[in-house]
Amino acid sequence: MTEKDMERKWLKAFAKDVDEKSLKKHVYEYGNYLWHIFSWELVPCLKGNEARKAFDEQEYDKAMIFCSGYADNGAIIEGLRETGKITSKQVEKIDDVYITAEDFSWTYVHTHEEYCGPYFCIKGKG
């Protein structure tokens, strides 16, 4: 899967009900990130310690992990790869990291902002 495919599939899974105008303003404009769908409360999700707990309780053998940069750099997603089971503590020092189930049933995001996130979202609940 390419990084562009991952971006499209991630947004389709977790922001499917967010209108294009809001995505343009909060995700694709200069200085924005994919996780802004959560920080702008466009998609319901768990936050903070609730998000950490929900993520750590997920049972999986394999997931996808990637980081995101600013929307204006032309490549929102960078460093896409597979990972085994990891914990919220293991990604705490990584800025703007996303872990997503292979079937896109859930996602966990640790941001670079101390006051934003982390976020945990289950597909269909956002």
Side-chain angles (χ1 to χ4, degrees), residues 1-10 34 62-69 75-84 94 96-102 104 107:
M1 177 180 314
T2 68
E3 291 169 341
K4 198 68 180 164
D5 288 339
M6 175 56 89
E7 174 190 323
R8 183 180 48 77
K9 288 181 179 187
W10 191 90
L34 293 173
K62 224 175 2 177
M64 301 301 293
I65 187 170
F66 58 89
C67 292
S68 78
I76 292 180
I77 291 179
E78 302 162 345
L80 175 63
R81 63 182 172 85
E82 286 186 357
T83 185
I94 306 171
D96 305 313
V97 65
Y98 301 65
I99 298 96
T100 302
E102 286 186 299
F104 293 87
T107 193

Side-chain angles (χ1 to χ4, degrees), residues 8-16 103-105 122-124 126:
R8 183 180 48 77
K9 288 181 179 187
W10 191 90
L11 284 170
K12 184 177 178 184
F14 302 107
K16 69 178 175 92
D103 65 356
F104 293 87
S105 58
I122 295 175
K123 182 179 175 180

Side-chain angles (χ1 to χ4, degrees), residues 45-104:
C45 65
L46 297 176
K47 300 171 188 157
N49 287 333
E50 287 183 329
R52 286 181 187 95
K53 183 176 187 289
F55 172 62
D56 289 342
E57 291 175 350
Q58 293 302 301
E59 293 184 20
Y60 62 95
D61 294 321
K62 224 175 2 177
M64 301 301 293
I65 187 170
F66 58 89
C67 292
S68 78
Y70 284 124
D72 66 306
N73 73 4
I76 292 180
I77 291 179
E78 302 162 345
L80 175 63
R81 63 182 172 85
E82 286 186 357
T83 185
K85 174 75 172 154
I86 56 177
T87 66
S88 60
K89 190 166 183 75
Q90 289 175 290
V91 296
E92 218 162 84
K93 302 273 189 227
I94 306 171
D95 290 343
D96 305 313
V97 65
Y98 301 65
I99 298 96
T100 302
E102 286 186 299
D103 65 356
F104 293 87

